[in-house]
Structure formats: C-alpha cells, structure tokens
Amino acid sequence: MTFRLSITPNIRKSPYFEATLAEGVRAFSVYNHMYIPGHYGDPEGEYRRLIEGVAQWDVAAQRQVELSGPDAGALAQYLTTRDLTRCAVGQGRYVALCDHDGTLINDPVLLKLAEARYWLSIADSDIALWAAAIARERGLDVRVFEPDVSPMAIQGPKALDLARDLFGAWVEDLKYFWFKETELEGIPLVLARSGWSKQGGFELYLQDGARGSELWQIVKNAGRAYDIGPGAPNDLERLESGLVSYGADGRAQSNPVDPFEIGLGHLVELESGQDFIGRDALVEIKRAGVRRRRVGLFIEGPPVTGNQHPLDILRGDEAVGTLSEMAYSHRLQRNIALGIVSNEVHDGADDLRVIVGTAPRALAITTLPFIAP
Ligand code: THG
C-alpha cells in the first residue's frame, strides 16, 4: 500500500518551507499543525552528517507558546512538574507538562527570556489553548500566544565550529539549554545550545517569519566549510540516544503515559513545595507504585522497515507492553526499539515477542541509551 499526505490549507507552512523545497525535501510529516521535513531522500548521508559533520534542520514546527506579563512566572510554574525557582533569565530547561490526572501532555523546552516572559518550545500538542485556558480560569495577569518564532537547528559535532563562524567565540561558553538574543545580518534571533539529538548543536529561533529563506541561506553558505547538508529530526539517532518523542512514545488521547513510565520521573519534583497541575495525581501514582517502565529493545532477525508502530509486546498471547518505534541501527548492526513494558516483565525475560509484518520476532530488553554520546 502506498499513499500520500494531501497538501491542504489547514496545515501551516514553515518560514523555511521554500528553502527546504529548493533543497529537495522528499517527505513531510505534520507536527503542531505544520509541515515538517521528514527527509531529503538520502537516509545514509543525512544520518552520517548528523553523526560526523553538521546537519541543517527546519524545526519551525517546534512552535513557541509565549507567556508574557506579571503572572508569567506563576503560570509557567503551575504548568510544569519541575521546580523553576532556580531557573535564570537566559536559561532553558527540559520540562514535563501533565494534565490533572498526571498524564503527560507535552515535554517542551522552557526558555526564560525575562522575569515576566517565557517560551515553551512545544512538542506535538495544543499547549497554547491549554495554557491560555488555565491562565484565564485562574484569573492570572498574563498573555498567552504563539509568537512569530521559528527554530532552525544545526546538529552534529561540527555545529560548534559553524556557530562560532556565524556568531563569534562566545558561543563556546553557552551552556546546554542556555540561550542568548542576538542577530545575523540584521535578522533577529535567539541562539540556544540545544536540539533534538545527542550529537551536540544549536537552535536558531528566527524572530521574523518573513526572513526564513534568507536565514537558511546564510547558515547554508557558512556551513559549506563543514559540508553541511539538509536533514531532519532523525528517528534512528533519537532511538540510539533514547530521546523521548511525545506523540510517538505516548500521547494523552491515544496512548496515555505518565512521566514516570516514559522515563521522565526526574522532571517531577513533588517535594519542591510548588503547586502544579497533576501534582496530587502524581503523588498518588507514586504512592500506589508505578506499574510500567521505559525500556530499550533489541529485535531479532533481518533489518526492520516500514511504519508499523505502535506494536504490542507479547508474552504468549498476552500484551505486556507497547513498542513505540523501531529501526535498524547501522552502528550497532541490530534492530533497536523503544517501548514501555509492565513491571511484571523482568529485564532478562527471554519469552518476549513482537509481530513485525506477519512474522513473530524475539525481543530482548536492554538499558538506555543504546549509544551514549
Ligand atoms: N528543541 C526545541 N523545542 C523542542 C524540541 C527541541 N520542542 C519539541 C521537542 N523537541 C521537545 N522534546 C524534547 C525532548 C528531549 C529533549 C529536548 C526536547 C532533550 N533531551 C535530552 C535527553 O533526554 O537526554 C536532555 C534532557 C536534559 O538534559 O534534561 O534534549 O529539541 N527548541
């Protein structure tokens, strides 16, 4: 079966859309109601640049939700399970957002731009609606909106050299997730040391959607020295590195998980003295005992392909977990996957199976990450 996604007007275009077409983008996905490049037809080359060189990604679909006004800090804190007390202006934090039942609803990067101004750089769910409703219902004095901000990522070991060439030596001192407001040839942007890979890199948050093609070209030209090429958030690398993909590994509406089950328990600070949405539920979940856990999985047999996820993890006829994504790792020369399994299943279990296509395959649990950075 082959099919295409329709290009319909309800799906938004990134400011880099034209630039990525010119680069020869071959597939888009949809994320936060926006097209996001999936690949450029050269999976080996795109992966190799990410691991050995530098890749240029249109990640404008990582939309920002801005919280602005006197109660911005109070709202940011109430939305997230982390303690933001010690978050400084200029600092970013990976955070978890839960609903009132303790179900994970997003895992954004939070950026504190000023004492009364934050961005949530969101994963794939409608947090602008959620945050605006919470703010209004609580009578908070804060404006919640999606600003004209569109991240582009440069990822890979040579991203540091490229960022230095573009912005200056100060980028070397930028700590992970920290950022600075700056510009490139008059184009306003925020430069952050971050990105959805474990290969190192930066994100350029463009603050003028009319100048996407211009910014793309500036980065591309400077990147020629490092053999830069277009790429996209790379599912194989994220599996190897064990990064969470909200939407793939869990989604409130179709595959609900709490932060403990998806391996984000360290982002839940129940003893901080802060109140936040889902706190009571998470206290109760922890008291009752978390019943599932996140694992890495090896899948026996020839290289897996195709988009068959999610798959049941089987013990006999019984589903004891869910496999959320799998891929063949060239570096490990094995099929790898991420999943969530019931705690009844032991790490050394040798009776687990998954049906790939029509054939049952043996599964073995392993620790994450598959490959440490
Ligand atoms: N950058 C920006 N926005 C984003 C993402 C991003 N929005 C969507 C999505 N990615 C949000 N989800 C993640 C998931 C993982 C990480 C960042 C954002 C990540 N995790 C590291 C890890 O798990 O090892 C580091 C976590 C930590 O140190 O706390 O980087 O990528 N702008």
Side-chain angles (χ1 to χ4, degrees):
M1 179 178 62
T2 63
F3 57 86
R4 289 164 182 270
L5 273 176
S6 299
I7 301 284
T8 48
N10 60 313
I11 302 171
R12 305 183 286 179
K13 296 193 177 90
S14 151
Y16 312 116
F17 186 75
E18 297 298 333
T20 61
L21 290 184
E23 293 283 358
V25 62
R26 293 287 300 277
F28 285 100
S29 186
V30 174
Y31 195 89
N32 283 322
H33 314 281
M34 181 175 278
Y35 295 106
I36 181 168
H39 66 78
Y40 292 78
D42 177 17
E44 277 87 26
E46 291 167 37
Y47 175 80
R48 185 175 38 76
R49 276 199 198 88
L50 172 59
I51 304 296
E52 296 173 8
V54 56
Q56 185 176 11
W57 298 355
D58 169 3
V59 283
Q62 296 171 357
R63 300 313 290 164
Q64 310 306 298
V65 176
E66 180 162 333
L67 319 177
S68 218
D71 291 331
L75 178 60
Q77 179 59 76
Y78 190 59
L79 291 172
T80 171
T81 64
R82 271 193 104 165
D83 182 5
L84 300 180
T85 321
R86 279 172 301 280
C87 185
V89 172
Q91 187 176 8
R93 284 274 183 89
Y94 182 39
V95 301
L97 310 192
C98 290
D99 69 11
H100 300 81
D101 298 322
T103 298
L104 187 73
I105 59 166
N106 207 285
D107 65 333
V109 177
L110 172 145
L111 295 87
K112 183 171 178 178
L113 295 144
E115 281 306 329
R117 187 167 169 242
Y118 293 77
W119 286 343
L120 296 171
S121 185
I122 58 170
D124 186 22
S125 70
D126 291 317
I127 296 306
L129 296 172
W130 170 259
I134 299 288
R136 281 291 181 98
E137 292 292 317
R138 290 179 72 81
L140 295 176
D141 185 4
V142 55
R143 205 158 76 86
V144 178
F145 62 102
E146 187 184 285
D148 176 5
V149 174
S150 299
M152 172 200 303
I154 50 172
Q155 296 288 298
K158 294 183 180 164
L160 177 58
D161 294 323
L162 172 55
R164 194 192 297 109
D165 293 353
L166 283 165
F167 297 98
W170 62 268
V171 302
E172 291 171 36
D173 301 324
L174 206 55
K175 285 179 284 193
Y176 201 70
F177 280 135
W178 288 65
F179 61 89
K180 207 177 141 175
E181 289 202 58
T182 179
E183 50 94 26
L184 261 187
E185 299 183 19
I187 303 174
L189 56 87
V190 164
L191 180 72
R193 195 162 201 162
S194 53
W196 200 63
S197 86
K198 281 295 201 179
Q199 308 310 313
F202 294 82
E203 293 182 300
L204 289 67
Y205 292 72
L206 168 65
Q207 297 194 82
D208 179 353
R211 303 184 76 175
S213 294
E214 209 184 324
L215 180 62
W216 186 275
Q217 207 55 45
I218 292 169
V219 173
K220 180 179 176 174
N221 289 342
R224 281 188 218 283
Y226 308 103
D227 191 29
I228 200 170
N234 191 289
D235 286 316
L236 172 53
E237 193 278 341
R238 86 96 182 179
L239 288 174
E240 291 171 339
S241 299
L243 292 177
V244 170
S245 177
Y246 179 81
D249 300 342
R251 182 183 288 282
Q253 294 76 13
S254 45
N255 176 20
V257 299
D258 68 44
F260 306 115
E261 296 170 319
I262 200 170
L264 297 181
H266 59 290
L267 303 184
V268 180
E269 297 185 74
L270 298 174
E271 310 303 328
S272 67
Q274 304 292 341
D275 191 22
F276 53 81
I277 301 173
R279 188 176 183 284
D280 293 347
L282 291 164
V283 166
E284 178 53 24
I285 287 169
K286 209 169 173 186
R287 191 200 61 76
V290 180
R291 294 215 292 274
R292 301 187 295 174
R293 70 185 186 285
R294 184 169 208 243
V295 292
L297 297 159
F298 288 119
I299 308 172
E300 290 307 310
V304 292
T305 54
N307 300 308
Q308 307 173 63
H309 334 90
L311 294 169
D312 282 339
I313 296 171
L314 300 169
R315 189 171 59 190
D317 293 335
E318 185 197 3
V320 291
T322 306
L323 183 157
S324 55
E325 190 168 9
M326 61 186 173
Y328 178 73
S329 166
H330 303 275
R331 279 195 285 173
L332 296 173
Q333 309 230 312
R334 292 181 89 169
N335 293 312
I336 63 172
L338 291 172
I340 291 181
V341 297
S342 162
N343 281 342
E344 300 151 36
V345 178
H346 298 289
D347 281 346
D350 61 2
D351 54 353
L352 301 178
R353 300 279 182 280
V354 63
I355 307 215
V356 180
T358 52
R361 305 258 198 126
L363 282 179
I365 292 176
T366 184
T367 50
L368 293 171
F370 287 98
I371 302 178

